[in-house]
Amino acid sequence: MKGGNAMTGPALRKRANHERHHSARDVLPNGPGPHIHDDDPWNAAVVHGRKLDLGEYPSSLLLRAANVIHLEGTAVYARKHGLSLPEWRILGRLCESAPMPLAALCRISHFDKAQATRVLRSLAARRLVRMLADPSHRNRRIVDLTPGGRKLAQSIFPEALEAQMKLLKALSPDERRATFSALKKLLAVYGAGIPAPASMDEGRSS
């Protein structure tokens, strides 16, 4: 073929497949349910059986949102105060509920015991937390904040709250209500929920 725009057989097939894929998204097939457009891929998948791209998977999109929020928001103000993201997650939880059993801290912070222990060791070296023996069981540990740790956490909370309000203000009142409800339902699919602040009694029976 002449000219600089000639395409090989594989390139033509790739382009044709790409165009078919996107044209199918632009006008979804008729069938039961409402007419659904390309900006509504989840309904398109459920109602019309359109195949989701990997990036449109609920699990992928939720993970991406969480990662972006943590890295672009939470990690920024944590670093400003000399903390890594895991250190702030634990310090903030302890400020809310300490003293508390290590098992309860792991549950509500979404750390396994080995991860939590490494982070706590770093915080303890800076005299921000302390590990105490549980008087009810010699093999269990209680985690508490030092006065310095509590003071640091309390100084960070206003910035943390401001960052969360920035996210909430990006949504309308109806969107805020619907998003909160939807996240609770997604957690419930796997028997999980929004963790409540832990008490000293939690984790001692395990």
Side-chain angles (χ1 to χ4, degrees):
M1 298 179 72
K2 296 181 180 181
N5 295 324
M7 299 181 68
T8 64
L12 285 170
R13 285 194 296 273
K14 183 177 179 181
R15 178 175 177 179
N17 289 335
H18 176 80
E19 289 175 350
R20 280 198 301 271
H21 180 63
H22 284 273
S23 63
R25 290 180 167 199
D26 295 336
V27 181
L28 290 166
N30 293 326
H35 185 73
I36 300 168
H37 296 278
D38 187 39
D39 60 354
D40 191 6
W42 292 355
N43 275 325
V46 173
V47 176
H48 294 302
R50 175 171 83 73
K51 182 179 178 181
L52 290 174
D53 291 339
L54 183 60
E56 296 169 340
Y57 283 20
S59 55
S60 295
L61 198 54
L62 288 168
L63 182 61
R64 175 169 172 73
N67 285 339
V68 169
I69 290 167
H70 281 315
L71 293 175
E72 301 297 329
T74 309
V76 172
Y77 60 75
R79 283 196 303 269
K80 192 168 93 172
H81 293 273
L83 297 172
S84 68
L85 182 53
E87 287 173 338
W88 164 240
R89 282 173 56 191
I90 283 186
L91 202 70
R93 286 294 186 182
L94 288 173
C95 191
E96 181 180 63
S97 302
M100 62 192 300
L102 176 58
L105 175 63
C106 291
R107 181 188 68 80
I108 66 174
S109 299
H110 308 291
F111 283 103
D112 63 37
K113 187 176 179 180
Q115 290 175 310
T117 300
R118 286 195 297 270
V119 176
L120 288 168
R121 191 179 296 122
S122 172
L123 293 172
R126 297 166 59 184
R127 299 184 180 180
L128 298 174
V129 305
R130 56 191 172 194
M131 303 286 288
L132 309 170
D134 187 337
S136 67
H137 196 294
R138 64 187 180 89
N139 292 327
R140 296 194 185 112
R141 306 301 296 271
I142 301 297
V143 189
D144 200 2
L145 282 174
T146 64
R150 187 170 297 278
K151 182 178 180 180
L152 176 59
Q154 289 174 340
S155 73
I156 298 173
F157 268 117
E159 293 177 63
L161 181 59
E162 182 181 354
Q164 299 308 307
M165 293 303 295
K166 178 181 179 180
L167 296 173
L168 293 178
K169 288 177 180 178
L171 304 174
S172 70
D174 285 343
E175 287 171 334
R176 289 193 285 269
R177 188 180 304 109
T179 301
F180 188 78
S181 176
L183 291 174
K184 288 175 64 177
K185 286 185 177 181
L186 291 176
L187 288 171
V189 169
Y190 297 101
I194 298 173
S199 68
M200 277 296 296
D201 293 331
E202 184 181 354
R204 286 183 169 174
S205 60
S206 58

